[in-house]
Amino acid sequence: MMRWLWLGGACLVGAMALLPLRVLMAAGDTGLAARHVSGSVWAGQLHDAAWRGIALGDIAVDLAPLSLLTGAPQLAFAGPALAGIASGAGVTGLSGSIDARGQTLLPIGRITFENLEIAFQNGSCRAASGGVTVTPTGLVDAAMGGELRGLARCDAGKLLLPLTSATAGMQVRIGADGGWQALISVAAGDAATRSALLVSGFAPTPQGLSRRLEGHL
C-alpha cells in the first residue's frame, strides 16, 4: 500500500513540475503580472514582473517538490528586487526592496524587507517576524526625521508593522483580505510644516499631529 502511495506522490510531483508557469499565474487574483512567462513551476521565469504596479524585474521561480507531499506547495523566487519563499499561507525569508512611490495612499517610497515572514491561517495572522524599513515621501518627509523601522508581528489577528523614527511613528495593520489601516504620528515640527500637514488632513494631538489612512492591497 505504501509503495502505491509513494508512487502516486511521485506522479503528482512530476505533474506539478511540468505544469506551465503561466497556468499557475492565471489562477486567482494575486496582483502579480509579467510581460512574459516561460518555463514550468519546476523552473520558470517571470520577465518584467510587477506586483500591483510595482516593478520587480525578472524573477526566477522554482518549485520545492517535497513540499507537494506535505500538502503545502512552496515556490522559491528570486529577482533583483525581492527573494523569498511563497506558499498558500504567506511568505518566508522575504528580503530586498521595492519602490512603492505613488502606488499607495501611504506617504512612503522605498520599502526594504529583512528576512520577513508572514503567515495567515483561517483569516488570521498566525506568524510574523523580520524587519521592515520605509522611506517617507511628500509633506511628511521632513517631519518624520528619516527612515522608519520596525519588526513585524501579529496582533489581534492582523499583521502589525510598528514603524518608528526619532520623531515619528507609523503603525500599519494588514488583514488576511488585504485591507489595511494606518496611524501616522509626527512631532509638531516648525510652523510651516505644521500648517502644511494640517491642510493635508493631519489633526492636532497632545504629542503633535496624527492622521489615519486605510486602503486595500
Side-chain angles (χ1 to χ4, degrees):
M1 181 65 176
M2 287 299 298
R3 182 179 65 179
W4 288 108
L5 288 176
W6 279 108
L7 180 59
C11 291
L12 177 61
V13 170
M16 285 293 294
L18 295 175
L19 181 68
L21 184 58
R22 63 179 180 274
V23 173
L24 185 65
M25 285 281 293
D29 179 20
T30 64
L32 186 64
R35 179 179 58 82
H36 178 64
V37 181
S38 61
S40 67
V41 294
W42 175 261
Q45 189 86 9
L46 308 181
H47 304 272
D48 290 338
W51 183 74
R52 303 198 186 282
I54 299 175
L56 302 177
D58 294 345
I59 300 178
V61 179
D62 300 287
L63 174 71
L66 291 181
S67 67
L68 290 173
L69 302 180
T70 69
Q74 295 181 339
L75 285 174
F77 59 92
L82 298 174
I85 300 174
S87 68
V91 66
T92 59
L94 180 65
S95 297
S97 65
I98 56 176
D99 188 355
R101 190 186 308 266
Q103 301 298 327
T104 174
L105 293 175
L106 292 172
I108 58 176
R110 186 154 295 278
I111 309 174
T112 300
F113 306 102
E114 302 174 31
N115 198 30
L116 187 67
E117 176 187 1
I118 304 170
F120 284 88
Q121 186 175 44
N122 298 325
S124 181
C125 181
R126 66 172 177 82
S129 62
V132 178
T133 301
V134 302
T135 303
T137 61
L139 291 173
V140 300
D141 188 3
M144 285 194 169
E147 294 180 334
L148 295 95
R149 305 171 185 270
L151 298 176
R153 69 174 188 265
C154 292
D155 182 72
K158 294 187 176 182
L159 170 66
L160 173 62
L161 304 178
L163 310 173
T164 60
S165 68
T167 59
M170 181 186 300
Q171 288 206 357
V172 183
R173 296 177 182 274
I174 306 173
D177 62 353
W180 59 264
Q181 303 84 37
L183 173 63
I184 305 173
S185 304
V186 300
D190 58 56
T193 300
R194 179 182 176 85
S195 297
L197 290 174
L198 287 172
V199 170
S200 69
F202 278 76
T205 69
Q207 293 75 35
L209 301 171
S210 70
R211 185 182 183 187
R212 294 184 182 273
L213 294 169
E214 61 181 34
H216 198 280
L217 296 177

